[in-house]
Amino acid sequence: MSDVQPGGAVAMLSAYRVVDATDHRGQLAGMILAGLGAEVILVEPPGGSPERQRGDGLEWWAFNRGKSSIVCAGDEEVLDLVRDADVLLDSGGRFDRDEIAARNPALVHVTITAFGSDGPKAGWAASDLTILAAGCAQVLNGDSDRAPVRTSVPQAWLHAGAEAAVGALLALTERRTSGLGQHVDVSAQQAVMQAGIPGVLLSPNANAEAQRTSGGILTGPVHLQFVYPALDGFVSITLLFGTMIGPFSRRLMQWVHEEGCCDAAMRDWDWNAFGLRLANDPAGAGELEAVKAAITELTSRRTKAELFAEARRRRLLLAPVATAAELVANEHLRDRGYWTEVDGRTCPGPFVKSSACPLPALGAPPALGEHANRRPLRPAAVAAARSQDGDRATSPLSGLKVVDLTWVFAGPLATRVLADFGATVIKIEGPGHPDASRGGGGALCGDLGLEGSVAFAHFNCGKLGLSLDLNNQAAKDVLLDLVRWADVLIESFTPGVMAAWGLGYDELRKVNPRLVMMSTSLMGQSGPLSEFAGFGNLAGAISGFYELTGWPDRAPAGPFLAYTDYVAPRYSVAALLAALDWRERTGCGQHLDLSQAEASIHFLAPAILDHTVNGVHPTRMGNADPFLQPHGVYPCDGNDAWVAIACETATQRRALAAVVRPLDDTALDDTTIAAWTASRTVADVEQVLQAAAVPVHGVQNSAACWADPQLNHRNHYLTVAHPVHGSCIVEAPRVVLSRTPGVVRRAGPAMGEHNDLVLRELLGYEDAAITALVIAGALG
């Protein structure tokens, strides 16, 4: 791969060489790094990686673009490669950490395993399905009268691979200070738990478990429905309440009334307060069912395109449940130049747009051994990494200064990673427009107010809280001072809002030319759908995940809540760290445009290829797999007790058969397996099948995760100080760095909690200036 992109810009990570020794358990990590400009060398055995033949080969094609290939006859040849490499990506902990460090002390060694490098389950047999079950990501998906269900494109190892790319970049960032590499330990179980937020935190914080229900949320008797039928498929609608979302629901019901599907009385209900009615009035659940029936009557009359067009005109929270064919034909994605044509195949393109350093278009996966004549050793580059400060151990992002103008899930999850690893992050909220995640996601001590949200406390750990009304000119002047102070500004307003305030990138870079600014939104900053605003459930629908999650004989079942908000933050952090690395070498800032939909579509790349290459129309298929059998979720003894079993090899199938039907020749099908598991507890099934090296795991809810000895061993759940409620439980960082691990210091801030600290200590304001801001109404 060339270091130089069109127009002469040097690729952001062109200074780095990555040795990729992964299989399907992590191959996305190398592709993300290649997408940011790193040289990624895929090492294969003489016969080629078995992943080339895995399934129909589309997964290989999807996640190995942009890499080179070198044949290595054994591990010793791989170890020789790492002498002049910067990163080694290692599936399954194949290589010894101490030996790697001895060969190259500056190397970042990333291992990707099912449960992490240590702990009581470190040696457990696992598959994509059983990892989803272990990580609370599956129990929340599906219908209450059936088994929990997965997305039909395997997701667990993709979450782990994306975390591995972030971990590698964090360690490379720290290496600029210490000159030393370190080990990065990625647990796929902990990675997929991000897809269950806030559900994973409910039981640990003394809340009732979230219940799965098709295409929505089930809270007690209340079914909040997100999926509705259309003439030609389905649409997703965010029908929620409160001051932030109530106005959208009011406009929706106005349309429902105009179409004759509800009376004026229903139209005029108080949609801001309807959530409180559901919580406090027994009649509320029945009224909600009537509302859903009225909406269904409307949506069933029109096509997805008609509903979406009218929803955009009326500013409603509605999106089509898109198929692979509709994604590839999507006018917005084509307008943004998203799709990449590679050898006649339509593939997802770059996951972020850069104003200064466009991401390279990744070519086809390499032929076996195609790059045997690799570039020469780089002793100068490795030596340069070994600075005189090698004994120092500081947080990777110590000294990094971040202005955080994001809200809800996707942006705050990204900036939470920056705070965990040492950055000073200032979380800005409008006094009249607090972060919407303060309004839900579990309650601390029963507090349903702004300071009681479990979700907000988790998303915003370690950040400083500043209340600032950006509609006020005095507040805008404060923001400009923060921009002068900052290295990074990340915002998630509807595209055009920052520019309308006079705070667009062209203005901000005049104040700070070295600023790295990221704008993250559902659909990106340009294109016909750029102003389409909403939450991650709408992005999950419009980017194809809903179509692929659920049962073939039923409506789409999800995935849970705001799925793209769980995927996109990994891409956001990777892009930010790469841009900061590039700034270190060039002195220049840049603007990054990250579409949450575009980034997340990479997790569906095999399905896209299946359509564009084979003409297939991929859809949901329950827990079945086209290439692996048995592969399912089976009932166990107990209330809503389930176990995931998935065999990837003939050896595993024989071992399962020997346990389930040792004395007869009945078929080893789902019915036979379910009959065997149904009379046994989850723990019994796990014990017997793990002893036979069969991938198995119970489907865990938040209570089971809270009690999981593996997660406890790895200190996944942390008790941290809370500004109002004393303490709360949050999740730890999802990657473990051996020398400089992340540290979670406190829960998210109270509204305006750190106004004085930020203004006085960080910006140097004196009493008179702060008093003037209060008088001007700039602060909360």
Side-chain angles (χ1 to χ4, degrees):
M1 175 185 295
S2 170
D3 288 354
V4 181
Q5 303 306 305
V10 177
M12 282 193 270
L13 296 183
S14 61
Y16 297 109
R17 175 173 289 176
V18 178
V19 174
D20 187 346
T22 65
D23 50 25
H24 66 284
R25 301 170 297 171
Q27 56 194 351
L28 178 62
M31 183 178 168
I32 290 174
L33 298 176
L36 291 166
E39 178 194 14
V40 179
I41 302 170
L42 184 66
V43 293
E44 302 189 67
S49 170
E51 302 310 306
R52 290 179 178 271
Q53 284 76 47
R54 181 178 169 86
D56 56 7
L58 292 180
E59 188 176 279
W60 165 268
W61 230 94
F63 301 122
N64 287 286
R65 293 189 295 121
K67 302 177 184 179
S68 59
S69 170
I70 293 179
V71 173
C72 292
D75 286 356
E76 186 59 35
E77 291 188 17
V78 179
L79 293 174
D80 185 58
L81 282 176
V82 307
R83 294 181 186 276
D84 73 321
D86 300 288
V87 177
L88 169 65
L89 301 174
D90 174 6
S91 284
R94 172 180 166 188
F95 299 99
D96 181 79
R97 292 166 53 179
D98 294 335
E99 184 174 4
I100 290 291
R103 300 260 181 149
N104 181 353
L107 186 77
V108 172
H109 178 197
V110 183
T111 59
I112 306 158
T113 59
F115 296 100
S117 297
D118 55 11
K121 296 181 182 178
W124 274 32
S127 71
D128 199 276
L129 183 69
T130 65
I131 293 166
L132 288 174
C136 202
Q138 188 170 25
V139 71
L140 300 167
N141 290 340
D143 302 279
S144 58
D145 63 336
R146 290 189 181 179
V149 71
R150 72 164 188 162
T151 298
S152 293
V153 175
Q155 297 288 291
W157 291 117
L158 300 181
H159 283 281
E163 286 289 348
V166 170
L169 289 167
L170 286 166
L172 288 173
T173 301
E174 189 279 334
R175 193 181 73 169
R176 290 203 300 265
T177 299
S178 69
L180 296 175
Q182 58 184 305
H183 181 244
V184 179
D185 184 0
V186 179
S187 156
Q189 179 191 26
Q190 291 174 270
V192 301
M193 289 180 75
Q194 182 152 299
I197 298 171
V200 297
L201 290 164
L202 293 180
S203 183
N205 285 290
N207 283 246
E209 292 282 356
Q211 304 297 313
R212 68 182 175 280
T213 185
S214 183
I217 303 173
L218 186 63
T219 305
V222 176
H223 174 214
L224 297 170
Q225 181 176 332
F226 290 164
V227 176
Y228 291 82
L231 277 175
D232 56 347
F234 298 89
V235 295
S236 180
I237 299 174
T238 306
L239 179 68
L240 294 173
F241 318 105
T243 57
M244 303 300 293
I245 303 181
F248 292 94
S249 298
R250 177 181 55 76
R251 291 194 292 269
L252 170 65
M253 297 311 295
Q254 174 66 37
W255 183 21
V256 171
H257 173 68
E258 290 173 12
E259 294 291 322
C261 301
C262 79
D263 59 23
M266 179 182 287
R267 176 199 64 191
D268 295 336
W269 287 351
D270 185 346
W271 298 104
N272 288 8
F274 196 72
L276 293 175
R277 182 167 178 78
L278 290 174
N280 300 321
D281 191 323
E287 291 170 351
L288 178 61
E289 291 303 311
V291 170
K292 288 154 47 180
I295 296 171
T296 298
E297 184 180 349
L298 167 64
T299 61
S300 298
R301 297 174 178 176
R302 302 194 181 198
T303 65
K304 293 187 289 186
E306 290 169 344
L307 291 166
F308 189 41
E310 185 65 13
R312 290 170 58 200
R313 188 183 74 81
R314 292 175 179 264
R315 294 186 298 119
L316 306 179
L317 297 175
L318 179 153
V321 173
T323 64
E326 290 164 343
L327 278 177
V328 172
N330 185 282
E331 176 190 2
H332 174 82
L333 295 175
R334 291 196 171 274
D335 184 85
R336 282 175 57 82
Y338 175 64
W339 299 110
T340 298
E341 296 296 324
V342 183
D343 291 357
R345 307 179 187 214
T346 301
C347 304
F351 59 83
V352 68
K353 292 182 178 295
S354 164
S355 64
C357 193
L359 271 62
L362 298 180
L368 178 62
E370 182 179 348
H371 304 88
N373 297 319
R374 63 186 180 90
R375 290 182 352 197
L377 294 174
R378 304 172 306 153
V382 175
R386 297 179 183 143
S387 74
Q388 60 270 34
D389 296 325
D391 291 333
R392 287 184 58 196
T394 61
S395 297
L397 304 182
S398 178
L400 185 71
K401 295 170 285 189
V402 180
V403 175
D404 182 359
L405 288 166
T406 67
W407 73 332
V408 196
F409 283 29
L413 278 169
T415 50
R416 156 82 197 265
V417 174
L418 305 182
D420 286 349
F421 286 92
T424 299
V425 179
I426 299 176
K427 165 82 174 178
I428 297 177
E429 299 177 80
H433 295 86
D435 190 323
S437 70
R438 288 185 180 274
L444 296 170
C445 305
D447 181 359
L448 298 176
L450 291 179
E451 306 301 350
S453 167
V454 172
F456 181 88
H458 174 69
F459 297 151
N460 296 287
C461 282
K463 303 175 188 177
L464 303 175
L466 175 64
S467 182
L468 203 59
D469 181 2
L470 291 177
N471 291 304
N472 183 301
Q473 184 56 51
K476 293 176 186 177
D477 292 340
V478 174
L479 184 67
L480 291 175
D481 282 341
L482 285 169
V483 168
R484 294 182 181 94
W485 165 86
D487 299 292
V488 171
L489 182 144
I490 176 169
E491 59 92 10
S492 61
F493 292 109
T494 299
V497 168
M498 290 287 284
W501 278 336
L503 299 171
Y505 177 67
D506 287 342
E507 297 303 316
L508 297 186
R509 68 175 176 175
K510 295 174 185 176
V511 173
N512 181 355
R514 288 173 54 84
L515 181 73
V516 174
M517 177 177 175
M518 173 174 280
S519 297
T520 174
S521 61
L522 234 60
M523 304 301 292
Q525 299 297 298
S526 62
L529 297 182
S530 61
E531 295 186 11
F532 173 61
F535 298 96
N537 67 300
L538 301 184
I542 204 170
S543 57
F545 287 93
Y546 271 44
E547 176 65 23
L548 289 161
T549 306
W551 302 96
D553 61 333
R554 291 188 177 180
F560 175 68
L561 212 56
Y563 192 71
T564 59
D565 283 6
Y566 309 133
V567 175
R570 281 74 175 252
Y571 288 95
S572 298
V573 176
L576 282 169
L577 293 177
L580 289 166
D581 189 278
W582 186 76
R583 188 186 72 170
E584 286 297 306
R585 289 181 281 117
T586 65
C588 299
Q590 60 180 292
H591 183 216
L592 300 169
D593 168 11
L594 189 131
S595 158
Q596 293 154 24
E598 290 175 359
S600 300
I601 287 172
H602 282 271
F603 272 41
L604 296 181
I608 300 297
L609 286 168
D610 201 15
H611 172 69
T612 61
V613 174
N614 299 325
V616 171
H617 294 277
T619 190
R620 53 203 172 276
M621 52 190 300
N623 289 311
D625 189 276
F627 309 110
L628 305 176
Q629 293 89 26
H631 192 278
V633 175
Y634 306 97
C636 287
D637 183 32
N639 180 37
D640 200 33
W642 304 88
V643 67
I645 301 171
C647 293
E648 298 186 324
T649 67
T651 300
Q652 292 170 352
R653 284 189 290 275
R654 287 192 295 269
L656 176 62
V659 172
V660 173
R661 51 173 182 80
L663 301 177
D664 60 57
D665 295 325
T666 57
L668 186 63
D669 57 19
D670 285 345
T671 301
T672 303
I673 298 169
W676 181 80
T677 61
S679 62
R680 293 166 171 82
T681 66
V682 167
D684 288 342
V685 175
E686 288 178 337
Q687 181 179 10
V688 171
L689 293 187
Q690 283 294 337
V694 174
V696 60
H697 205 288
V699 178
Q700 299 197 141
N701 59 14
S702 70
C705 285
W706 175 236
D708 187 335
Q710 179 66 20
L711 294 172
N712 288 332
H713 175 86
R714 292 178 64 81
N715 298 312
H716 181 75
Y717 286 105
L718 304 175
T719 301
V720 296
H722 188 275
V724 173
H725 294 289
S727 66
C728 66
I729 308 298
V730 300
E731 291 181 278
R734 297 180 196 281
V735 294
V736 179
L737 275 61
S738 59
R739 288 194 304 102
T740 58
V743 177
V744 184
R745 294 172 174 82
R746 58 183 178 272
M751 279 289 293
E753 178 183 354
H754 301 101
N755 282 6
D756 193 69
L757 185 154
V758 171
L759 297 174
R760 197 179 303 276
E761 296 185 24
L762 299 186
L763 296 184
Y765 285 17
E766 297 188 356
D767 290 348
I770 296 173
T771 300
L773 290 172
V774 173
I775 293 171
L779 306 176

